[in-house]
Amino acid sequence: MSTPRANIEVLPRSVQFSLALGLAALLLFPVVGSDFYVQMVTRMMIMAIFAMSLDLLQGVTGLVSLGHAAYFGVAGYALAFLTPADVPVSLWWSLPLAVAGSGLVALIIGFFVVRTHGIYFIMVTMAFAQMVFYLFFDNKLLGGSDGLYINFRPDASVFGWLPFDLEGRKTFYYFTLALVVLVYVLLRRLLWSPLGRALSGIRINEHRMRAMGFGTRGYKLTAFSVAGALAGLAGYLWGAQTGYVNPELMGFHMSAHAIMMVILGGMGNFAGAIVGAFAFEYLLHVFKDITKHWQLLMGGFIVLVVVAAPRGLLGMLGQRRAAKTQEDPHHG
Amino acid sequence: MDFATFLIQLLNSVQYGLLLFMLAAGLTLIFGIMGVVNLAHGSFYMLGAYLGYSLSGQFGSLTLAILGGAVLAVVFGLALEWLLFRHFYHRDHLDQVLLTFGLIYIFEELRSILWGDDVHGVAIPAMLDWSIALTDTLSYPVYRLFISGVCIALALGLYLLISKTRLGMKIRAGAFNRDMAESLGVNIKLIHATVFALGVGLAAVAGMVAAPVSSVYPNMGSSVLIMCFVVVVIGGIGSVRGALISALLVGLVDTFGKVLLPSMSGMLVYMLMAAVLLWKPEGLFKQ
């Protein structure tokens, strides 16, 4: 079994500066961008949350989950079930409930998958996610292959007072942006907490962590559940934005896209996941614009990235750092 | 369930299980020997089915279609191994996942360009298009027995190849200790290419013989891939014997689940996998 590659956890000044610039650009964007692009960037930000949640597993803990879309989709469906046909559902309880639901599903599936390693982990996460996919796909009560419509975005009012209205495109945009920042800050904090350090330790050498007395299975299960819950946050937002959920959201392509985003941006520091999500969604948009055979371009691009093996856009910086400090002896 | 129905379901589950075994054997060999996760394995099954569809239309003969299709698929597999896969034997699983995921995209689109997105039926050859009467009202199609026969013959061939021949000895040596085998003069690159081509060939033939029963359709590769993963996880990676037993087990659970518990048949196989993981996280027959 091989350990995933070295990653940069301490962001270089230049990257921190770029992130601040990016945040400023995102804050200003709705002022200049057209409705179409505001929606597109909103979607990119939602995918950024999804990618960050996977990075906690993939980049920090070294667990390659090929079924992460399951938790994304579960929360989207939760919103669809919670929203009545004729009125919006309250944001304040439906969001926590959907996120907790995804976390719970991740906890249950995680209980089985964290017992496995390496290749098994990849296959088992994919198999369980596919089980969730077929559960919804085959079941008329759950919407079947057609999916479900969500007629209203969640309602943010508190006792009759409406602080912001998510039905507005720009308001939804800023709401999503705030959550991106919140998730990023939380995950960065987590990375440097004792839990985060233990998870990094598991990536680098799980045997050694166990020998030091860490119950690595529990740590991995915690990471898996937290990642699932955060994926659920992204899925909830997706459902709210598009007003529609279908089984494809939990499909294997969605999971693989998330992996690709994390790789593309660079693993293990959450900033890369954000950059990767934006880059990947933009590419998808470009490819679909060029040809109806966009899958050919996407596939070719993915193969090219892996063959040329850059460690992501931010990861290239990390490669230099890793070479200097040699923090990961498994990969030079 | 009366005895005749039971018998039919039993035969169906064995046939399905054997078909899964053909796929899982290739997958598990490629894992076990080269350490490569191949998500595109289902695409080879799909390729086989579509090749079978075109070739049987061309030749009007299923035997020729299977032979010709197998050769084409193996050549294709060898080219792919030489071009891409051999560079990935030492990369991490993540890279392999991405590479083969990219390939799935490419294969799906090529399939769409070459064959379109419609569902195609494949005719059962006239010689095999009849049924054996089990009771007055129930009969069993001979073609399904033919599928099982092909699978059993290939499984036997695989067993003999691996356990009795010189090539098989080298394959086993390479799987056991690559460096040692190499220093003893085994051409490990050749072995890897052979195993890969073998895996591709088995998957493609499975697709071809199954085509008349399952018909050929887009995304047929991905659903079968998941089942293969389940089989390999239950059986234990690298164990061909484990793959056989777990494929038959999965075939039984899936087929009888659909009859006895139709409301939750989709879940049963995964529940089986979960149970095995609790009991033996590395599969029943870890090598």
Side-chain angles (χ1 to χ4, degrees), chain B residues 231-254:
Chain B
V231 167
V232 170
V233 167
I234 292 177
I237 285 180
S239 164
V240 177
R241 187 174 54 133
L244 178 62
I245 291 168
S246 85
L248 290 172
L249 201 62
V250 167
L252 274 175
V253 169
D254 192 66

Side-chain angles (χ1 to χ4, degrees), chain A residues 2-3 5 58 64 66 111-112 115-116 118-120 122-124 126-128 130-131 134-135 252-253 256-257 259-260 263 267 292-296 298-300 302-303 306-307 309 331, chain B residues 31 35-37 39 84 88 91-95 97-99 101-106 108-110 113 222-223 225-226 229-230 232-233 236-237 267 270 273-274 277-278 281-283 286:
Chain A
S2 53
T3 25
R5 292 161 300 205
Q58 187 173 314
V64 182
L66 200 42
F111 177 74
F112 295 99
R115 308 171 72 89
T116 64
I119 279 179
Y120 278 90
I122 295 173
M123 292 196 296
V124 174
M126 185 175 174
F128 275 118
Q130 218 54 24
M131 174 180 82
Y134 282 115
L135 182 70
F252 139 71
H253 283 256
H257 282 179
I259 293 184
M260 189 65 205
I263 295 278
M267 299 192 290
K292 76 177 170 107
H293 300 304
W294 60 273
Q295 295 201 61
L296 210 55
M298 198 72 223
I302 294 175
V303 170
V306 195
V307 169
H331 288 88
Chain B
F31 281 148
V36 172
V37 200
L39 299 186
L84 286 173
F88 281 79
R91 302 274 290 268
D92 35 86
H93 298 330
L94 199 51
D95 288 344
V97 163
L98 279 176
L99 172 78
F101 174 66
L103 288 178
I104 289 183
Y105 259 148
I106 294 174
E108 276 294 326
E109 197 67 67
L110 288 178
I113 293 170
S222 53
S223 52
L225 176 74
I226 309 292
F229 277 8
V230 172
V232 170
V233 167
I237 285 180
M267 309 277 285
Y270 300 101
M273 181 178 78
L277 283 176
L278 280 181
E282 306 228 283
K286 172 91 170 83

Side-chain angles (χ1 to χ4, degrees), chain B residues 45 50 78 86-87 106 147 153 177 201 212 218 232 234 244 247 279:
Chain B
Y45 173 79
Y50 275 90
L78 282 175
R86 70 191 170 112
H87 305 294
I106 294 174
I147 296 179
N177 188 332
V232 170
I234 292 177
L244 178 62
W279 180 37

Side-chain angles (χ1 to χ4, degrees), chain B residues 102-183:
Chain B
L103 288 178
I104 289 183
Y105 259 148
I106 294 174
F107 293 155
E108 276 294 326
E109 197 67 67
L110 288 178
R111 177 211 38 78
S112 166
I113 293 170
L114 289 172
W115 283 289
D117 292 328
D118 297 331
V119 177
H120 297 288
V122 177
I124 295 176
M127 204 171 67
L128 296 168
D129 197 6
W130 52 284
S131 297
I132 296 173
L134 293 177
T135 62
D136 294 340
T137 49
L138 290 170
S139 57
Y140 197 78
V142 167
Y143 188 76
R144 280 181 181 265
L145 293 177
F146 167 75
I147 296 179
S148 301
V150 171
C151 294
I152 290 171
L154 283 171
L156 262 178
L158 190 66
Y159 167 75
L160 292 175
L161 176 77
I162 290 180
S163 63
K164 303 285 181 213
T165 65
R166 221 180 154 69
L167 178 65
M169 193 175 73
K170 289 176 181 173
I171 292 177
R172 281 178 286 138
F176 187 69
N177 188 332
R178 195 199 135 94
D179 294 334
M180 187 71 83
E182 202 160 23
S183 59

